[in-house]
Amino acid sequence: MALSEFALIERFFSRLGASRADVALGVGDDCALLAPASGEQLAVSIDTLVEGVHFLAGTDPAALGHKALAVGLSDLAACGARPAWATLALTLPAVDARWLEGFAEGFGALAQRHGMALVGGDTTRGPLAVSVQVHGLVPAGSALRRDGARPGDRLYVSGSLGDAGLALRQRLAGKVPDEDLARRLDRPDPRVALGLALRGIASAAIDLSDGLASDLGHLLARSGVGATVELEHLPRSAGVAATGDWSLPLSAGDDYELCFSVPPGRLADLTKSMADLDVTVHAVGRVEAGEGIRWRLPDGGQLRPDGGWEHFR
Amino acid sequence: MALSEFALIERFFSRLGASRADVALGVGDDCALLAPASGEQLAVSIDTLVEGVHFLAGTDPAALGHKALAVGLSDLAACGARPAWATLALTLPAVDARWLEGFAEGFGALAQRHGMALVGGDTTRGPLAVSVQVHGLVPAGSALRRDGARPGDRLYVSGSLGDAGLALRQRLAGKVPDEDLARRLDRPDPRVALGLALRGIASAAIDLSDGLASDLGHLLARSGVGATVELEHLPRSAGVAATGDWSLPLSAGDDYELCFSVPPGRLADLTKSMADLDVTVHAVGRVEAGEGIRWRLPDGGQLRPDGGWEHFR
């Protein structure tokens, strides 16, 4: 099969995701033309997934399409931005219509669910890699950032940590993770609704892609503060808890949960705004003056992890 | 050397390009926050360059940094958009500070020249590839598009065609192209000022990345028209003309010139607005009803090229 670049893009990517009135011109011209509403800021983030680094060779293309977009949606969630548009740069070793169909299905279904339109892309030949840029909208001045945490703020994480890491570990050992666990690795559910609900409540937020140790470290460094985390309060599934391995929730990464800080005066608002969400949040510690993270074990001792999972290694 | 992903990004990419008041938050958070002015539309385009496909192994990193951004700037030029922000997803086989320094210098100098800020990025390990997304601004409704050419419009191309193709051909044959020719391949000069000048004058425009045969074909197809091109009027450098090879100007690609159509009633405006630009434009043919392109040879015969250079081959 020898479809041209243009025919490929047209066929699979010309109408992916939601249809939006603020897309003046979508896929098929030199640029897409987008019309943000007056008074809104644009939140953008770009991420690349490379075969053999971020996903295993032979990964189901639909799961990859889902995940490539989910990673970006998780960044929008961390900023409290409403998803709007995505662009996709796809590098493929060969033209494979079935693979493209699967990828488009996984990407398109998640885009649709978040009201997001695919507005542009580029398809090139090369080793399998996917770059996705997401674009979200947020009222000027109301985005969540990493740099607002202050001593005395309470620290929270959503969902549970370490499931994706456990699923990957099982798969690399030749085991088949159970369905719920596998979904946490293959089809993460970005916390977009949570991010929107945290606007005006959280003092700082970050998404957990590299692991709590690394990502919370970034939030604290940007805010110029430190923290103590009570390990017994970290949300862990029964499977992760059973391993007794703290590296899963702290540095395995790929969780795509949110970590955020809330000032004492906003705790009541937090409780109220969480009532309608389908994800729970867990108080895990406290922001303090100084720097670094103290990881308190249930017995009162301290854990010293080696730091989060790094893509570049 | 084992710099982390974060240290890498911080060190080389935290302050590349121009500083802009409409960047509310740049590199270093989950998302960049951007503030387009009210009434402006956003023009976006993403492109990937892969080693061995779009550039030769061992390419000077500064030239690659320049070119990765130039490709996107050329798309903004084709839309008549003013460059504003860029994001960069860089996949590298290994950490090499000197390489990164060179890349950042080439990318940053071109960004600076066009008043563009680098606002976000991602660095991953893998086979060398660069994805750049460019973001431009254009008053609502005034962007140049591919779909506005009408029968009777005059067709133009800027600069000269085929130089980059000739430089590449010489290099692949082990020769060293002369400096001017090499610059056309390694450091293309995107026609941003020309694109801005064409707003309100051109009925349609496209940038020439794949070659005139392919790219003009896209413009005509989107406009639902055909064209006749007089080959003797194609702008060619002495070196390209001396080869007598029409495939250089028609399908070698990598020219990053603009091709555009102008209605008869706008030709006087075109002449006026071109006076201040440092690139010349050349009338090469005419838009006609129907479809396809007739390539008229100087002797009155017709040329039948095989079509443009395709990235995906």
Side-chain angles (χ1 to χ4, degrees), chain A residues 181-206:
Chain A
L181 205 60
R183 191 180 313 116
R184 295 279 296 167
L185 175 63
D186 299 333
R187 305 250 184 182
D189 188 14
R191 303 307 186 189
V192 172
L194 173 60
L196 292 172
L198 290 176
R199 293 201 310 224
I201 293 176
S203 53
I206 192 169

Side-chain angles (χ1 to χ4, degrees), chain B residues 32-173:
Chain B
L33 293 173
L34 310 168
S38 163
E40 288 200 301
Q41 286 182 341
L42 186 67
V44 304
S45 178
I46 187 165
D47 279 290
T48 301
L49 302 184
V50 179
E51 186 181 60
V53 179
H54 303 90
F55 60 93
L56 302 174
T59 292
D60 168 36
L64 182 61
H66 176 105
K67 189 153 179 176
L69 181 57
V71 167
L73 282 167
S74 184
D75 285 322
L76 294 182
C79 292
R82 190 173 294 282
W85 316 298
T87 57
L88 166 65
L90 195 52
T91 303
L92 297 170
V95 180
D96 179 335
R98 278 191 61 183
W99 192 96
L100 282 165
E101 201 173 334
F103 184 92
E105 182 250 306
F107 189 100
L110 186 62
Q112 187 77 45
R113 198 183 320 153
H114 288 278
M116 198 169 213
L118 181 72
V119 298
D122 187 28
T123 312
T124 52
R125 180 180 288 280
L128 184 57
V130 189
S131 292
V132 172
Q133 175 155 326
V134 292
H135 311 67
L137 296 167
V138 62
S142 70
L144 305 174
R145 306 164 50 137
R146 295 181 180 177
D147 59 4
R150 297 292 171 262
D153 289 357
R154 204 76 181 269
L155 278 176
Y156 288 83
V157 299
S158 64
S160 64
L161 304 183
D163 296 322
L166 181 57
L168 179 62
R169 185 180 290 181
Q170 292 180 355
R171 214 169 262 168
L172 289 173

Side-chain angles (χ1 to χ4, degrees), chain A residues 3-6 8 10 24-36 38-50 53-54 72 74-76 78-79 85 87-95 119-127 129 131-135 138 143-147 205-207 210 214-215 218 222 310-313, chain B residues 3-6 8 10 24-36 38-50 53-54 72 74-76 78-79 85 87-95 119-127 129 131-135 138 143-147 205-207 210 214-215 218 222 310-313:
Chain A
L3 276 177
S4 79
E5 173 183 356
F6 309 98
L8 269 176
E10 286 283 322
L25 187 62
V27 171
D29 211 296
D30 289 273
C31 295
L33 293 173
L34 310 168
S38 162
E40 288 199 302
Q41 286 182 341
L42 186 67
V44 304
S45 176
I46 188 165
D47 280 290
T48 301
L49 302 183
V50 179
V53 179
H54 303 90
S74 184
D75 284 322
L76 293 182
C79 292
W85 317 299
T87 56
L88 166 65
L90 195 53
T91 303
L92 297 170
V95 181
V119 298
D122 188 27
T123 312
T124 52
R125 180 179 290 279
S131 293
V132 172
Q133 175 155 325
V134 292
H135 311 68
V138 61
L144 305 174
R145 304 165 50 136
R146 296 181 179 176
D147 58 5
I206 192 169
D207 84 309
D210 293 331
S214 172
D215 294 321
H218 296 307
R222 293 278 287 194
E310 292 263 346
H311 292 299
F312 211 118
R313 55 178 181 184
Chain B
L3 277 178
S4 78
E5 171 184 356
F6 308 98
L8 269 176
E10 287 283 321
L25 187 63
V27 171
D29 211 297
D30 289 273
C31 294
L33 293 173
L34 310 168
S38 163
E40 288 200 301
Q41 286 182 341
L42 186 67
V44 304
S45 178
I46 187 165
D47 279 290
T48 301
L49 302 184
V50 179
V53 179
H54 303 90
S74 184
D75 285 322
L76 294 182
C79 292
W85 316 298
T87 57
L88 166 65
L90 195 52
T91 303
L92 297 170
V95 180
V119 298
D122 187 28
T123 312
T124 52
R125 180 180 288 280
S131 292
V132 172
Q133 175 155 326
V134 292
H135 311 67
V138 62
L144 305 174
R145 306 164 50 137
R146 295 181 180 177
D147 59 4
I206 191 169
D207 83 311
D210 294 331
S214 171
D215 293 322
H218 296 307
R222 293 277 287 193
E310 292 264 344
H311 292 301
F312 212 110
R313 56 179 181 182

